[in-house]
Amino acid sequence: MALAKEIMGISLVEKSSLISSSKVFLNPNFYQKENQLCVGRQFQGRRNLRTRRVLRQSTMAAISENLIKVVPEKAVKFKVRAVVTVRNKNKEDLKETIVKHLDAFTDRFGRNVALELISTDIDPNTKGPKKSNQAVLKDWSKKSNLKTERVNYTAEFVVDSNFGTPGAITVTNKHQQEFFLESITIEGFACGAVHFPCNSWVQSKKDHPGKRIFFSNQPYLPNETPAGLKSIRERELRDLRGDGTGIRKLSDRVYDYDIYNDLGNPDKGIDFARPKLGGSNNVPYPRRCRTGRVPTDTDMSAESRVEKPKPLYVPRDEQFEESKMNAFTTGRLKAVLHNLIPSLMASISTNNHDFKGFSDIDSLYSKGLLLKLGLQDEMLKKLPLPKVVSSIQEGDLLKYDTPKILSKDRFAWLRDDEFARQAIAGVNPVNIERLKVFPPVSKLDPEIYGTQESALKEEHILGHLNGMTVQEALDANRLYIVDYHDVYLPFLDRINALDGRKAYATRTIFFLSDLGTLKPVAIELSLPQTGPSSRSKRVVTPPVDATGNWMWQLAKAHVCSNDAGVHQLVNHWLRTHACLEPFILAAHRQLSAMHPIYKLLDPHMRYTLEINALARQSLISADGVIEACFTPGRYCMEMSAAAYKNFWRFDLEGLPADLIRRGMAIPDPTQRHGLKLLIEDYPYAADGLMIWAAIEGWVRSYVNHYYPDSAQVCNDRELQAWYAESINVGHADLRNAEWWPTLATPEDLISILTTLIWLASAQHASLNFGQYPYGGYVPNRPPLMRRLIPDENDPEYAVFHADPQKYFFSALPSLLQATKFMAVVDTLSTHSPDEEYIGDRQQPSTWTGDAEIVEAFYDFSSEIRRIEKEIDDRNADTRLRNRCGAGVLPYELLAPSSDPGVTCRGVPNSVSI
């Protein structure tokens, strides 16, 4: 259809040669009346690059021929109008209000906002970009007091009839205060309205003297850039890169790299010093956004910290928009971190007791926790706290919402089948593997960590295999493992030396039943070997008596604690947040805003740099929430770096590759997604493969539209620079790894982009938004453990034997640790009201000028809606016992849409929390 439109457009242009010159150039209304005659690039679709070039050449030839016939000796001037949409702040402080009124006053006297259009053509006189006259926004002073969310201002340009198509616009802010420019639309050109999606803060000229540049929504590959835009395209990228020096101001828009050298604060003492992550082979790590702060007084290689609540630098356009800031992350998380947690500590620390029983935990949801609030804490009741802690009512009671894990069956977490189900349908369903050999073997150096031999024996599990031998179960793909032995063992000596922390390196063996459900059959608990004859490994199996039952519950709790640490530090933080940051930095530095791949990636980069900066400041920093609440304590980020060094591979981060790596699927071209799941009812994988296929299909349509052959990929200098910099600078410590995919063909590009979009959207969602629904009930998923499991020779065994429930709760996090953790993970599990979900786009009709791409995106959106319906149907299918049954939670973490709040569903476009 698009091809037909383009051919029809050519014939219309050819017919337009019959129109007299006076009608074309002396009647300015002609440009609005004859929009249908325009075959400009602004809104025409293209089937492929070759067709587009041929049509463009023939079109331009026709137009040129007509111009030769009808252009008068002197070009005629006519007016075009700009509609400029500015987004107001909902709340202003006193200083902002005063400056706003001052700007409104001085706007009348020339301290205004000025615009300048730039053509896609070269000015034959200056040999530079062809520019219009400067126009100023009208009615700024009159509209300054409007309380609406958006205000539309207008400006008028006078341009020559040979100006050409506008491709860029500059904005100069002569006011004192920045403003958020959402979009600009130019009306009056023959090709119809020209859209400029801006979505950016425009700084005052006193802060940034240069003009801000915005490009139209028409995408261009670098070698197709119109002559009038080439130098501007290059200059804009240079400005965004900066020069790698200087302390960044919050108003800057500079994207650069640094190592993680700001997690500790050695000036506060040795307990607050932390190793630098990145920049070495021993402790490799992805790069973060550079802030350029001065070094600490104590350690010149450590960057000084900006302590909460002062903000860390991220480029201005990466900071949360006001609706996000107020409704969710910055406002609520800071309220929790800076106000609620200190109040919890003041109320509980003097009597930081253990939970005495299940009723103590239940009371957090039913009765609430009494806070000892003073007058200075009255403001706490007025803060934008998350829903879970919004019930700080009269009497200073803090009530938590009941986590979803308790919603259908409050005792579900005690059952073995639920413990196993969460390995494939919980908040961390990405560590389970098919067991290939029994007993499992460690990959750690035996000279450092002792024997690699497992304590697991055939007799431990033989009675739980439905009459099968171990080898038969292996051959039938019926044995699975969650193995944290090699992740934790190198750190256990240091972890167990911490006050109030005790951990094992665990392995859990599962058997796949005939019904398609898993059951745990053995748990191996390992400690570092202290001597040649030391007993460092033990195996716990399903109980046959009362004592064994409590041992089994403690063993499962230690497995869950291991799982919580790996989930948070490796799968959630490292593999989605940290490893994506270099690709985002490189995209802003190397891909122009008019590059089609930048336009594709843009919604999947939203807010990630800001949330990562907030995490460095308050969550993963020394004495931050993660250290305080998770078993590894001060060694959390070292464990994350070890996983990056030993485990992370970009080529295996896509869902199909990851499932094959873990032995959870095998290639099978006869299956729906080219894979056969070995556990058919594996909710994360089954739902994830549908979303993966939808993303891949959308990306394939997009890439093939712009890159019909490998030459186009190889010759795209911006694209190649982006990918090379992402690896060689952003992931510099692993840049020499042989597993990095090449970028030489359209298929390479499709694979890389699909992986990035998957990680930013569905993978992150599956790991993040179930944190409170599953972890908000601490016994189900304790983030840390404080006691080991005693054996009969231990002094603590008598205490355990006398009151096993009391011992169990003394091993779980304390009341203060639990309530801090619950408040934070509730915030991290909350969707903000302005969330943009997969299949959605801000300004869907104007983000690109390619009509075929818009059509392809709507197809993608429709497929996402279909997937959501299929997920709902699966959750109602009683044959799928891992997501449907009495007391079983449906698996909705990959259901694409969600309401605001803690919903345990919803797939946002980006890593935004």
Side-chain angles (χ1 to χ4, degrees):
M1 182 179 291
L3 183 61
K5 288 179 180 177
E6 215 153 20
I7 295 172
M8 288 173 64
I10 292 172
S11 62
L12 285 171
V13 171
E14 289 171 344
K15 290 178 182 178
S16 70
S17 63
L18 301 175
I19 301 172
S20 68
S21 61
S22 60
K23 182 176 180 180
V24 175
F25 294 107
L26 299 181
N27 182 2
N29 293 328
F30 170 79
Y31 288 96
Q32 294 177 343
K33 293 179 180 178
E34 303 297 328
N35 282 345
Q36 70 270 23
L37 302 184
C38 178
V39 198
R41 291 183 293 268
Q42 197 66 29
F43 294 104
Q44 295 302 317
R46 48 187 177 179
R47 288 295 177 196
N48 56 54
L49 192 62
R50 183 173 303 164
T51 302
R52 180 170 54 82
R53 283 178 171 166
V54 170
L55 291 174
R56 182 185 297 171
Q57 290 167 1
S58 60
T59 300
M60 295 309 296
I63 292 174
S64 300
E65 182 180 349
N66 292 335
L67 289 177
I68 292 172
K69 294 177 182 178
V70 300
V71 172
E73 291 184 1
K74 185 176 181 180
V76 176
K77 296 183 181 297
F78 65 99
K79 290 182 179 180
V80 295
R81 185 176 77 145
V83 179
V84 179
T85 302
V86 173
R87 189 184 303 165
N88 275 335
K89 283 190 173 183
N90 294 321
K91 296 180 181 178
E92 296 175 337
D93 58 30
L94 180 60
K95 180 181 177 182
E96 288 174 329
T97 301
I98 293 173
V99 173
K100 181 178 180 179
H101 287 303
L102 180 62
D103 283 338
F105 177 75
T106 58
D107 187 81
R108 304 175 186 176
F109 305 101
R111 295 283 297 275
N112 43 33
V113 176
L115 311 178
E116 189 177 51
L117 280 177
I118 301 174
S119 172
T120 56
D121 298 333
I122 288 288
D123 189 320
N125 297 321
T126 65
K127 307 303 181 184
K130 186 183 293 184
K131 301 178 181 179
S132 72
N133 66 305
Q134 196 172 79
V136 299
L137 293 191
K138 298 178 180 180
D139 299 331
W140 187 284
S141 57
K142 292 181 180 179
K143 296 180 178 179
S144 62
N145 289 324
L146 291 177
K147 302 301 182 183
T148 56
E149 184 178 359
R150 291 172 176 82
V151 179
N152 291 325
Y153 301 95
T154 60
E156 282 190 350
F157 297 93
V158 177
V159 296
D160 290 335
S161 51
N162 59 4
F163 181 79
T165 303
I169 191 168
T170 67
V171 181
T172 303
N173 178 12
K174 300 177 185 177
H175 293 163
Q176 295 293 306
Q177 191 163 268
E178 67 178 6
F179 63 87
F180 189 84
L181 179 59
E182 191 169 87
S183 64
I184 301 174
T185 300
I186 307 297
E187 300 171 339
F189 282 96
C191 60
V194 182
H195 298 284
F196 294 82
C198 305
N199 294 307
S200 177
W201 290 97
V202 179
Q203 302 297 320
S204 168
K205 190 174 181 180
K206 66 182 177 63
D207 294 322
H208 292 278
K211 298 177 180 179
R212 280 299 310 278
I213 300 170
F214 298 99
F215 298 103
S216 77
N217 66 341
Q218 178 59 42
Y220 295 103
L221 295 174
N223 61 356
E224 298 175 348
T225 309
L229 302 180
K230 285 183 178 179
S231 62
I232 298 173
R233 179 174 187 150
E234 294 168 0
R235 188 178 78 202
E236 172 74 355
L237 284 175
R238 285 197 302 269
D239 291 344
L240 290 173
R241 293 179 197 133
D243 59 6
T245 63
I247 299 174
R248 300 266 62 90
K249 300 180 298 182
L250 291 177
S251 60
D252 285 348
R253 295 174 60 248
V254 175
Y255 298 79
D256 206 352
Y257 303 91
D258 208 342
I259 62 172
Y260 281 69
N261 61 349
D262 64 340
L263 300 181
N265 191 351
D267 289 348
K268 290 178 66 175
I270 189 64
D271 287 342
F272 292 89
R274 294 294 181 271
K276 288 164 280 295
L277 308 183
S280 73
N281 293 327
N282 293 328
V283 192
Y285 217 63
R287 298 300 187 260
R288 64 168 175 92
C289 182
R290 180 185 177 276
T291 61
R293 300 190 302 272
V294 297
T296 62
D297 296 331
T298 309
D299 184 351
M300 291 298 290
S301 64
E303 190 174 73
S304 58
R305 285 188 55 79
V306 174
E307 298 294 351
K308 53 192 180 187
K310 293 181 180 179
L312 281 182
Y313 168 78
V314 294
R316 183 65 182 100
D317 290 340
E318 306 304 314
Q319 297 170 28
F320 293 136
E321 295 175 17
E322 189 182 15
S323 58
K324 174 89 169 178
M325 190 182 303
N326 290 336
F328 179 42
T329 305
T330 302
R332 288 182 170 179
L333 188 55
K334 285 186 175 179
V336 169
L337 295 175
H338 311 153
N339 299 92
L340 177 62
I341 286 180
S343 296
L344 283 169
M345 295 175 68
S347 300
I348 299 173
S349 288
T350 54
N351 186 24
N352 186 16
H353 55 77
D354 302 332
F355 291 107
K356 295 183 178 63
F358 295 106
S359 60
D360 279 8
I361 301 177
D362 291 342
S363 70
L364 293 175
Y365 317 116
S366 58
K367 297 178 182 178
L369 179 69
L370 182 65
L371 294 183
K372 299 174 183 177
L373 299 181
L375 292 176
Q376 72 276 13
D377 293 314
E378 285 300 308
M379 62 174 291
L380 183 63
K381 300 177 182 179
K382 303 175 183 178
L383 289 170
L385 293 168
K387 182 181 178 183
V388 69
V389 292
S390 62
S391 302
I392 302 179
Q393 304 162 338
E394 294 181 8
D396 301 330
L397 277 178
L398 167 64
K399 289 179 67 176
Y400 288 83
D401 279 357
T402 302
K404 196 170 184 179
I405 185 63
L406 303 180
S407 63
K408 288 196 168 187
D409 180 356
R410 59 182 303 201
F411 300 111
W413 68 276
L414 278 167
R415 300 197 316 263
D416 284 357
D417 64 289
E418 177 62 22
F419 170 76
R421 190 190 74 86
Q422 289 185 31
I424 55 175
V427 71
N428 188 39
V430 298
N431 277 108
I432 189 167
E433 303 175 64
R434 179 170 59 86
L435 189 61
K436 299 178 178 68
V437 295
F438 186 88
V441 179
S442 169
K443 296 179 182 178
L444 297 175
D445 186 344
E447 294 186 4
I448 300 175
Y449 300 106
T451 178
Q452 295 179 324
E453 188 176 330
S454 170
L456 286 160
K457 306 296 181 186
E458 187 162 342
E459 56 264 28
H460 288 130
I461 66 172
L462 193 58
H464 304 282
L465 305 184
N466 289 8
M468 302 175 77
T469 67
V470 171
Q471 190 58 51
E472 287 172 342
L474 288 172
D475 294 342
N477 300 324
R478 302 287 286 270
L479 288 178
Y480 294 83
I481 185 171
V482 173
D483 190 348
Y484 295 131
H485 180 277
D486 289 5
V487 177
Y488 273 88
L489 195 69
F491 294 91
L492 281 185
D493 278 334
R494 288 177 285 171
I495 290 172
N496 289 336
L498 296 173
D499 185 33
R501 305 292 169 98
K502 290 294 181 282
Y504 298 98
T506 66
R507 289 184 175 117
T508 308
I509 307 295
F510 299 94
F511 177 73
L512 180 64
S513 73
D514 294 337
L515 296 176
T517 58
L518 293 171
K519 64 177 181 179
V521 296
I523 296 172
E524 182 183 35
L525 306 168
S526 297
L527 293 170
Q529 197 167 7
T530 57
S533 59
S534 66
R535 183 168 176 246
S536 60
K537 302 177 188 292
R538 64 189 294 186
V539 175
V540 182
T541 55
V544 293
D545 60 13
T547 302
N549 179 69
W550 281 106
M551 290 283 190
W552 182 243
Q553 294 300 336
L554 282 166
K556 289 196 297 182
H558 274 283
V559 171
C560 289
S561 176
N562 269 195
D563 190 72
V566 172
H567 161 259
Q568 198 67 266
L569 302 170
V570 180
N571 298 328
H572 180 205
W573 167 256
L574 172 67
R575 294 174 65 185
T576 62
H577 285 261
C579 285
L580 282 176
E581 185 158 346
F583 290 96
I584 294 171
L585 290 170
H588 286 286
R589 288 166 52 86
Q590 300 296 343
L591 295 176
S592 168
M594 67 173 74
H595 197 292
I597 299 305
Y598 180 91
K599 290 181 177 292
L600 174 70
L601 290 176
D602 185 40
H604 305 290
M605 303 188 291
R606 187 183 187 214
Y607 294 151
T608 302
L609 297 185
E610 170 82 341
I611 192 61
N612 285 4
L614 188 61
R616 295 202 316 274
Q617 186 178 43
S618 302
L619 299 179
I620 62 172
S621 56
D623 206 31
V625 171
I626 301 300
E627 286 193 2
C629 293
F630 287 83
T631 294
R634 63 178 296 150
Y635 306 108
C636 279
M637 292 307 292
E638 288 183 66
M639 182 180 290
S640 183
Y644 179 66
K645 178 181 181 180
N646 299 320
F647 172 78
W648 188 81
R649 288 181 50 160
F650 181 76
D651 64 326
L652 298 181
E653 285 297 281
L655 179 60
D658 177 58
L659 292 172
I660 292 171
R661 165 175 58 181
R662 292 189 282 120
M664 301 302 293
I666 56 175
D668 185 346
T670 67
Q671 297 293 313
R672 180 175 175 184
H673 301 294
L675 291 178
K676 179 182 179 182
L677 293 176
L678 298 186
I679 300 177
E680 291 184 18
D681 183 18
Y682 181 2
Y684 158 78
D687 294 357
L689 283 171
M690 289 194 296
I691 294 180
W692 170 273
I695 294 171
E696 186 179 47
W698 155 235
V699 171
R700 184 176 302 280
S701 297
Y702 196 97
V703 168
N704 288 339
H705 184 73
Y706 294 101
Y707 299 93
D709 54 50
S710 297
Q712 294 295 323
V713 173
C714 293
N715 294 333
D716 187 335
R717 62 182 183 275
E718 287 185 9
L719 181 71
Q720 294 294 333
W722 161 69
Y723 188 57
E725 184 173 285
S726 299
I727 297 170
N728 296 321
V729 182
H731 286 278
D733 302 331
L734 300 182
R735 65 184 180 275
N736 294 321
E738 295 180 354
W739 42 255
W740 283 105
T742 58
L743 179 52
T745 68
E747 280 300 317
D748 295 340
L749 182 56
I750 291 165
S751 175
I752 291 165
L753 294 173
T754 302
T755 298
L756 291 173
I757 294 172
W758 160 260
L759 291 171
S761 58
Q763 181 72 299
H764 176 261
S766 70
L767 297 166
N768 183 70
F769 293 104
Q771 290 191 80
Y772 186 79
Y774 282 96
Y777 187 68
V778 169
N780 177 62
R781 192 173 174 76
L784 63 83
M785 293 293 284
R786 295 184 294 152
R787 286 191 172 190
L788 298 175
I789 304 174
D791 60 30
E792 294 181 2
N793 298 320
D794 292 331
E796 286 190 323
Y797 187 82
V799 177
F800 161 75
H801 198 271
D803 193 340
Q805 178 174 296
K806 181 179 180 180
Y807 189 92
F808 179 79
F809 280 101
S810 72
L812 296 181
S814 68
L815 176 62
L816 176 59
Q817 290 168 329
T819 50
K820 283 170 60 175
F821 170 76
M822 290 163 64
V824 171
V825 296
D826 169 79
T827 303
L828 299 180
S829 303
T830 301
H831 289 292
S832 62
D834 76 332
E835 201 84 87
E836 185 182 277
Y837 296 95
I838 191 166
D840 295 338
R841 273 254 186 182
Q842 288 185 334
Q843 302 171 314
S845 62
T846 61
W847 64 274
T848 179
D850 271 327
E852 288 188 22
I853 290 300
V854 174
E855 185 179 344
F857 180 75
Y858 283 129
D859 290 341
F860 171 58
S861 298
S862 297
E863 176 62 8
I864 292 296
R865 300 287 80 80
R866 188 202 64 77
I867 289 170
E868 184 155 23
K869 176 65 169 61
E870 185 165 343
I871 290 174
D872 290 341
D873 292 342
R874 288 176 176 181
N875 285 325
D877 188 344
T878 56
R879 295 170 299 175
L880 302 177
R881 290 175 170 82
N882 292 317
R883 62 198 307 159
C884 184
V888 175
L889 289 182
Y891 186 73
E892 298 179 308
L893 284 169
L894 288 173
S897 69
S898 174
D899 292 327
V902 180
T903 63
C904 202
R905 61 178 291 138
V907 179
N909 271 324
S910 63
V911 177
S912 56
I913 182 59

